[in-house]
Amino acid sequence: MSLFCRSIGYVRRAYATAASVKPSSVSQIEMPPCDFTPDKYTGPSYEEALRIRKGSLFPMLTYYKKPLMLHQGYMQWLFDMDGRRYLDLFGGIVTVSVGHCHPKVLAAAGAQMKKLWHTTNIYLHPAVHEYAEKLAAKMPGNLKVVMFANSGSEANDMAIHLARLHTGVFEIVSTRNAYHGASPHLMGLTALNTWRYNVPTGFGIHQTMNPDPYRGPWGGARCRDSPAQTGRSCDCPSGQCAACDMYVDQFEDVLRFSVPKGGRVAGFFAESIQGVGGSVQFPKDYLKKTFQMVRERGGVCISDEVQTGFGRTGTHYWGFEGHGVIPDIVTMAKGIGNGFPLAALVTTPEIAASYAQALHFNTFGGNPMASAVGSAVLDVIEEDGCQQTSHEVGTYFLQELDKLRDEIDIIGDVRGKGLMIGVEMVKNKETREPLDAETMGAIWEKTKDMGLLVGKGGLYGNVFRIKPPMCITQADVNFALSVIREAIVCVTS
């Protein structure tokens, strides 16, 4: 066991203040400084909160053996009820895009609250119209009509409905290992058994093989659009991806056998990079080729940008742009409001017109406060250079994690783009057998004890999901890398 592990109590004591951690020996990791001091916590006790959670809230996923009681946030930092500081590398499940309690977003919300909290869109109000125009201006092609909602699940539900209305066809295709939400409709679209209940679902929805260059049957070291490539050997000729063609053949097989005669589909759903599924990236040109096949059969192409949008992938504002495609429908949520309940669907005028077949309105979608917040987030992304930060800091993070993969046997794969990163843990690099839950959990708990919050994902729960607010620094990354290395050493030595 390393000296750092034996002296972990030092780090716990140091979190009692908001100041940076001061090392007392060379093996201890210094947390980057923060000049923000949280308010003194005055709410219910930890024990009382646990009692209420167990007795008055529906059963829900809770992180860590001893769940964190978070009290306050500031940019990339979170503070618990005792004032301990944590570097947030998960951003409220990829939701806090520009930073916790960003001053400009706070100001926009406060100013709108003083004017008008709520009115449904049966009336006009300036905030939603100004915001809709500003958001549509971020979209390529003819993606110019916006429908606002409250969550990514709601936006994806509407996308299914709209695709079927527009095409007059019922069949929808998604990829295995995808997560698009957990409503009754979307449980059929989501192809991860850990998120599905034993109820009838998925009528008219079909899944194709997941085109995963690391864990799938085909793929290699030149297949992904990422600074970090899989360690598998690659037989692809220069400028071509043979793995892509094999996965496209599987997609065509679904259209040949699983949909009604003629192969027509209403739509195809795809994430630009799979989020809950473990930050899985598709081979280059996969979406370009499958989008073409769907359109040839009269269907529409739907990009789920709930996690990959708003500059997170670094090189582009939208994840789908990195694939060289323009979808027919784009859904977005999470980072769109920096944590405020807000989502949207953007499509073409022709497809949007299909919704006029019956009456429709949304009580809260596009309400004045959400519109003011969403508009401020767009401004901050530009003013703070969040996309550039995602590209520069994210690329550095991926490259350093890739070095760590070469150093540590149980890191099987590093992947992603910008600040959308996955680190897959394995027992054996050759067989790619997933790391057991006990070891994975012990490493995860240790990172939390050292002041670092990361997510978990993938079918086997063996992928560390790193999707921080897009305001982190290289110093934060260096701290995170040191913690991850030490946590692994602590657990496995």
Side-chain angles (χ1 to χ4, degrees), residues 303-359:
S303 282
D304 181 335
E305 291 284 323
V306 169
Q307 297 192 25
T308 50
F310 300 93
R312 179 162 291 279
T313 61
T315 56
H316 300 86
Y317 203 84
W318 304 106
F320 62 77
E321 293 177 301
H323 294 271
V325 299
I326 299 178
D328 304 295
I329 299 172
V330 181
T331 59
M332 56 194 75
K334 291 186 179 289
I336 190 175
N338 200 46
F340 197 94
L342 175 62
L345 176 154
V346 185
T347 189
T348 66
E350 295 77 16
I351 294 175
S354 304
Y355 237 62
Q357 297 175 28
L359 295 177

Side-chain angles (χ1 to χ4, degrees), residues 107-308:
Q112 185 59 53
M113 285 180 71
K114 294 175 183 177
K115 295 179 184 176
L116 182 67
W117 283 29
H118 173 74
T119 176
T120 65
N121 287 316
I122 57 174
Y123 307 115
L124 305 184
H125 66 84
V128 71
H129 300 93
E130 293 166 354
Y131 178 43
E133 192 169 55
K134 186 186 289 189
L135 181 59
K138 296 290 186 184
M139 307 302 298
N142 201 30
L143 294 165
K144 297 302 176 189
V145 183
V146 183
M147 180 188 293
F148 290 112
N150 308 302
S151 72
S153 291
E154 189 177 7
N156 282 336
D157 264 334
M158 291 193 298
I160 291 178
H161 192 42
L162 188 55
R164 287 170 169 168
L165 286 175
H166 181 69
T167 62
V169 179
F170 199 71
E171 312 302 310
I172 299 282
V173 179
S174 67
T175 63
R176 296 171 196 158
N177 200 58
Y179 181 90
H180 297 286
S183 70
H185 262 319
L186 297 176
M187 216 182 299
L189 202 63
T190 289
L192 282 162
N193 64 24
T194 46
W195 294 93
R196 291 175 64 117
Y197 291 90
N198 186 26
V199 296
T201 187
F203 182 49
I205 296 175
H206 312 274
Q207 278 107 23
T208 186
M209 179 184 286
N210 192 43
D212 181 354
Y214 175 69
R215 193 161 284 285
W218 308 292
R222 293 189 295 273
C223 291
R224 297 192 300 224
D225 176 22
S226 173
Q229 296 288 342
T230 172
R232 296 172 73 179
S233 61
C234 190
D235 298 325
C236 298
S238 178
Q240 293 179 272
C241 182
C244 172
D245 293 336
M246 300 296 283
Y247 289 117
V248 169
D249 286 346
Q250 291 296 308
F251 187 93
E252 188 171 24
D253 214 44
V254 170
L255 300 181
R256 185 182 300 116
F257 287 98
S258 299
V259 304
K261 188 175 181 180
R264 291 198 66 200
V265 293
F268 170 47
F269 266 82
E271 300 167 88
S272 299
I273 298 175
Q274 291 179 333
V276 175
S279 304
V280 173
Q281 291 180 278
F282 302 153
K284 299 168 191 172
D285 290 335
Y286 176 80
L287 287 186
K288 189 176 291 186
K289 292 180 179 181
T290 51
F291 275 26
Q292 180 180 345
M293 292 169 64
V294 169
R295 286 173 173 148
E296 287 172 351
R297 289 160 175 79
V300 298
C301 301
I302 304 158
S303 282
D304 181 335
E305 291 284 323
V306 169
Q307 297 192 25
T308 50

Side-chain angles (χ1 to χ4, degrees), residues 215 275-280 413 415 421-425 440 455-467:
R215 193 161 284 285
V276 175
S279 304
V280 173
D413 193 36
R415 52 184 178 253
I421 298 171
V423 179
E424 181 153 356
M425 309 297 288
M440 182 76 182
K456 286 198 303 181
L459 179 63
Y460 307 103
N462 68 318
V463 181
F464 288 122
R465 297 174 62 199
I466 299 173
K467 287 100 178 183

Side-chain angles (χ1 to χ4, degrees), residues 404-471:
L404 204 60
R405 182 197 66 176
D406 294 338
E407 174 189 332
I408 297 175
D409 287 342
I410 63 172
I411 299 179
D413 193 36
V414 172
R415 52 184 178 253
K417 195 173 179 185
L419 290 174
M420 185 85 179
I421 298 171
V423 179
E424 181 153 356
M425 309 297 288
V426 296
K427 279 188 176 181
N428 184 294
K429 283 187 176 179
E430 294 300 318
T431 65
R432 302 188 295 280
E433 180 184 355
L435 188 65
D436 61 278
E438 183 179 357
T439 306
M440 182 76 182
I443 296 168
W444 188 48
E445 294 280 349
K446 191 67 69 176
T447 59
K448 182 260 293 183
D449 291 343
M450 289 188 272
L452 187 70
L453 305 181
V454 297
K456 286 198 303 181
L459 179 63
Y460 307 103
N462 68 318
V463 181
F464 288 122
R465 297 174 62 199
I466 299 173
K467 287 100 178 183
M470 297 184 291
C471 57

